[in-house]
Amino acid sequence: MSVDPAVLIVGGTEQRVRAVADELVALVGDRVSVEAVPDAESATSFARVAAGGGSMVPLALACCGEGLGPPEVVELRAGLRAFDTRIVAVTESASLVGLAPLLGSDAVDAFMAEPWTRSGFAKVVVAQLATYLVAHSPDDLDRFGDLIADDERTRAELRIERRRTAPTHDVDRRHPLLDVSSEDAELEAQLVESLDVALGHPPRIRMAPGTVLIEIGADVGGIFVVLDGVVRLTSRAPGGDQILHEQSTGSIIGLLSLASKRRAMLDCVAVTEVRAIPVTVEQLARALDVDPELSSLLNRVLIGSLARRLRRSDELQVELDQSLSALSAARAELVAQAKMATLGDISAGLAHELNNPTAALGRAIANITDDITAEGLLPADLTAIVRDRAVAEPLSSADVRSLRRELVGVVGDRRLAGRLVDMGVSDHAEARRLADLPSSELDRLEAATRLGSQLHHAGTAARRVQALVDSLRAYVRGEDGSGTWVPDVDVLRTIESALRLLSHRTDEATIELSAESVPAVPGRPGALQVVWSNLVTNALDALADSDNGQIEITVTPTDDRRVRVTVADNGPGIEPPLADRIFEPRFTTKGGRVRFGLGLGLSICRQIVTEHGGTIAVESRPGRTVFDVRLPVEEPDE
């Protein structure tokens, strides 16, 4: 070689070119010249000049990236093909996704990712240099003797020899292994024909349905080529046999087991009458020796069978994932329903246990009030005070503050004015009269006032507890469907009962109830209470993250003799895909969470409303969701 060979660095930033050049110089020293060119055209021009001067370009390192992508590398290969230059694509990423067009072509001979190790860089460069020099300048191999080891030179020579002696490929004839145009049945027919030729038409056997061709764990001494019929591949599991393949089994049975130390991995059973060719290991080996192309044909048929099995495995995996998802949802629903059933039992028992003592407490407070306010037990003036305070409704905080300011101006003493307000005094003249009484007399009258007020509060509390117990009993009856059907349900009263049950949550939002005069409707009061509880709880849940949540409940009559109840909130709204499904059974967006009053969901709300002959609908947008319930005044048809 009269002139040193040149290695090209094509493309790349100045920093990348310098890094590649430094690595090349460190590897080969001055035995090659390193030249950097910006693009494919410049590389081709350089190679042409080098060839004219008696030199050659054995290697080009293409720095892929900005300005040098797959199209430019393909152009580089086209320009350097006449010089047999080996091309290595140098990429900044370990992923070859961006270079995918190069993977299916012969544009590059090797890939190398940055950052590389020195040994990795040397391995790629030396292998490509050895391949080039063995083919084009074997005499120059000695110049690189310290780099190109004997085994690398031998491998390069072997690659070149194989390429030289390879038969010319007939472009009009596709290799059986790569022939994707043939149908599976056609390929299987060719396989059977080749086996017949190689083995002298081996015998066919017929097997009745239920015949076991291969058993798990058995020593497999060959394969079956299924000609007609259906076989099933199953695995054994503690819960019973699992069918893995039937329609996707394919025509080659036993080859995978044969490849895994001759132990069957699955049971193979005939589903229908099966006609097959049994081929022993010795017969298969003899057939492959007789007909070299049988190997490719066998591989092609086997690949088709495996592809069908893999597709079926993917389908089974998808079905399994869907089943697990459905099972998880069903389990969450069952847990929620179990919790609600338990809560319903507890609520029913609690309501029953509280009913009698609450009623007794209410009667006792009423009797005590009657006894204390009866004539003769207390002086007449004290009796009148107790009786008045026992029935008087307490003033609001605003009214108390206003009245206290008035009486301060009358009696001139803030503390005394507060005592008079607590005694229920509002008349200015009466305030002046009481202010002139001795302190002991005023204490006596104040004690009577407190007694009357406490009796009033005790009676109010007892009635409230009784109302809550009644609401709870009605709710439980409404949930289990045992509530009595009555012809004249007061809708407003059922709404108020529902709100009493939800009083522990009503501070989470501002709830406004407005009602016009509406007729009674036929139905089950407890069941309707369930509907309102669910709708209000839904609204409260929607407003959980809101600082100014508002719920508006309206009760109005309609022109078609119905009672309309709307529950509106200013929450985020319901997404359109969910709005179409929220009334479906078993559909929830709460992930199995259970809160009191929402155990049965909107599907039960619709069931209850439909049972009453009514309708329920929802309209939602961000900032406004309205549930609209309409109940007929007339008895619905059976």
Side-chain angles (χ1 to χ4, degrees):
M1 182 183 301
S2 57
V3 181
D4 289 339
V7 174
L8 296 180
I9 303 174
V10 185
T13 62
E14 182 180 350
Q15 182 178 0
R16 291 185 72 191
V17 170
R18 186 183 306 112
V20 174
D22 290 346
E23 202 70 46
L24 277 171
V25 171
L27 176 65
V28 299
D30 59 358
R31 284 170 285 195
V32 300
S33 62
V34 179
E35 303 291 340
V37 294
D39 50 39
E41 183 179 356
S42 301
T44 303
S45 299
F46 182 91
R48 189 178 296 113
V49 172
S55 183
M56 50 186 154
V57 181
L59 184 62
L61 302 177
C63 297
C64 298
E66 186 176 352
L68 193 69
E72 289 75 24
V73 176
V74 171
E75 181 184 354
L76 178 65
R77 166 63 83 190
L80 297 180
R81 190 179 300 278
F83 310 101
D84 291 331
T85 302
R86 312 289 293 179
I87 297 178
V88 176
V90 182
T91 173
E92 292 180 298
S93 172
S95 171
L96 299 179
V97 173
L99 302 178
L102 301 179
L103 299 177
S105 66
D106 63 347
V108 296
D109 298 292
F111 290 90
M112 183 164 54
E114 300 179 67
W116 55 73
T117 62
R118 176 153 292 185
S119 60
F121 183 93
K123 185 176 181 179
V124 173
V125 170
V126 168
Q128 298 307 316
L129 277 175
T131 299
Y132 180 90
L133 293 174
V134 167
H136 300 284
S137 185
D139 295 339
D140 290 317
L141 282 170
D142 293 338
R143 297 184 61 190
F144 299 89
D146 59 326
L147 296 178
I148 303 175
D150 291 340
D151 57 345
E152 185 63 46
R153 181 184 305 189
T154 301
R155 284 195 295 268
E157 291 173 347
L158 181 60
R159 289 196 298 270
I160 293 170
E161 182 62 25
R162 284 178 177 175
R163 186 175 298 176
R164 265 188 210 142
T165 59
T168 304
H169 177 60
D170 184 358
V171 295
D172 295 328
R173 178 181 176 276
R174 185 164 292 184
H175 193 281
L177 184 60
L178 305 176
D179 186 7
V180 296
S181 63
S182 300
E183 297 292 336
D184 289 342
E186 180 183 350
L187 289 171
E188 291 166 4
Q190 293 177 19
L191 174 63
V192 172
E193 182 180 351
S194 297
L195 286 173
D196 283 342
V197 171
L199 300 178
H201 201 282
R204 278 70 166 158
I205 61 173
R206 291 185 180 273
M207 290 164 281
T211 303
V212 178
L213 282 72
I214 300 175
E215 189 173 5
I216 290 179
D219 185 9
V220 178
I223 65 172
F224 289 94
V225 180
V226 177
L227 304 177
D228 301 302
V230 178
V231 297
R232 175 184 297 159
L233 299 181
T234 61
S235 66
R236 299 175 189 175
D241 291 349
Q242 301 295 318
I243 299 175
L244 299 183
H245 300 284
E246 188 169 303
Q247 300 301 325
S248 56
T249 300
S251 60
I252 306 296
I253 306 298
L255 192 59
L256 289 179
S257 299
L258 189 63
S260 60
K261 300 183 180 179
R262 297 192 179 187
R263 293 293 175 182
M265 299 178 289
L266 301 172
D267 283 328
C268 179
V269 182
V271 178
T272 65
E273 183 180 275
V274 172
R275 190 166 65 97
I277 303 176
V279 181
T280 66
V281 176
E282 293 75 14
Q283 288 177 315
L284 185 58
R286 187 166 68 252
L288 292 174
D289 289 337
V290 171
D291 185 358
E293 288 197 1
L294 178 62
S295 175
S296 298
L297 192 58
L298 183 65
N299 286 337
R300 181 68 184 87
V301 173
L302 185 60
I303 287 173
S305 297
L306 290 178
R308 286 195 297 272
R309 294 190 192 183
L310 287 174
R311 283 195 297 270
R312 179 55 184 155
S313 298
D314 291 341
E315 292 170 359
L316 288 173
Q317 183 63 48
V318 171
E319 293 172 5
L320 177 61
D321 291 343
Q322 292 174 342
S323 298
L324 289 175
S325 178
L327 182 62
S328 178
R331 180 181 180 278
E333 180 186 358
L334 288 175
V335 170
Q337 290 181 355
K339 288 181 179 179
M340 287 309 301
T342 303
L343 182 59
D345 291 340
I346 294 174
S347 300
L350 185 62
H352 177 75
E353 293 298 327
L354 287 177
N355 187 57
N356 291 336
T358 302
L361 179 61
R363 288 194 299 271
I365 293 172
N367 292 335
I368 291 173
T369 302
D370 291 341
D371 291 342
I372 290 177
T373 58
E375 297 293 339
L377 183 63
L378 295 176
D381 58 341
L382 298 183
T383 299
I385 292 174
V386 172
R387 184 184 297 117
D388 291 342
R389 300 308 298 169
V391 298
E393 293 296 330
L395 298 176
S396 66
S397 299
D399 290 340
V400 168
R401 289 193 297 269
S402 176
L403 183 57
R404 184 182 292 122
R405 285 194 297 269
E406 289 184 24
L407 296 187
V408 168
V410 174
V411 301
D413 186 329
R414 180 177 295 276
R415 182 172 179 277
L416 177 59
R419 294 178 68 186
L420 294 176
V421 170
D422 292 340
M423 293 170 62
V425 176
S426 58
D427 182 72
H428 291 187
E430 179 67 11
R432 292 189 188 94
R433 185 185 72 80
L434 294 176
D436 293 335
L437 293 177
S439 177
S440 58
E441 181 65 15
L442 190 61
D443 291 342
R444 176 170 164 272
L445 297 178
E446 191 174 17
T449 301
R450 284 197 303 271
L451 178 60
S453 297
Q454 293 303 321
L455 288 174
H456 174 81
H457 294 328
T460 300
R463 288 190 293 274
R464 175 169 174 75
V465 172
Q466 186 64 56
L468 284 171
V469 171
D470 292 342
S471 297
L472 183 59
R473 294 174 66 190
Y475 185 89
V476 173
R477 287 198 302 270
E479 277 196 337
D480 62 20
S482 62
T484 303
W485 186 277
V486 297
D488 52 351
V489 178
D490 186 338
V491 175
L492 179 59
R493 186 173 180 180
T494 61
I495 295 174
E496 291 171 341
S497 294
L499 292 178
R500 277 197 296 271
L501 282 180
L502 297 173
S503 60
H504 64 292
R505 294 194 61 191
T506 52
D507 60 346
E508 299 175 15
T510 301
I511 300 179
E512 296 181 2
L513 172 61
S514 61
E516 298 180 14
S517 177
V518 296
V521 301
R524 293 188 290 120
L528 292 178
Q529 184 183 326
V530 170
V531 174
W532 316 135
S533 297
N534 277 322
L535 296 182
V536 173
T537 305
N538 271 354
L540 289 170
D541 289 343
L543 298 170
D545 299 326
S546 176
D547 295 331
N548 60 341
Q550 295 180 350
I551 300 175
E552 300 172 1
I553 307 173
T554 62
V555 184
T556 56
T558 65
D559 295 336
D560 57 349
R561 290 185 56 74
R562 289 174 174 256
V563 174
R564 181 188 184 196
V565 179
T566 62
V567 179
D569 67 73
N570 63 339
I574 304 171
E575 297 180 8
L578 301 182
D580 296 334
R581 300 188 58 197
I582 57 175
F583 293 112
E584 293 180 8
R586 299 185 301 276
F587 180 78
T588 177
T589 60
K590 295 183 171 60
R593 288 180 292 143
V594 177
R595 302 181 94 163
F596 183 74
L598 194 60
L600 298 180
L602 292 172
S603 64
I604 296 301
C605 288
R606 183 174 63 175
Q607 178 182 328
I608 294 173
V609 172
T610 302
E611 174 195 9
H612 286 71
T615 61
I616 182 171
V618 62
E619 291 184 3
S620 184
R621 66 177 188 274
R624 180 76 172 174
T625 298
V626 181
F627 283 89
D628 188 325
V629 178
R630 305 193 183 201
L631 301 171
V633 175
E634 285 82 11
E635 188 91 10
D637 293 335
E638 195 66 33

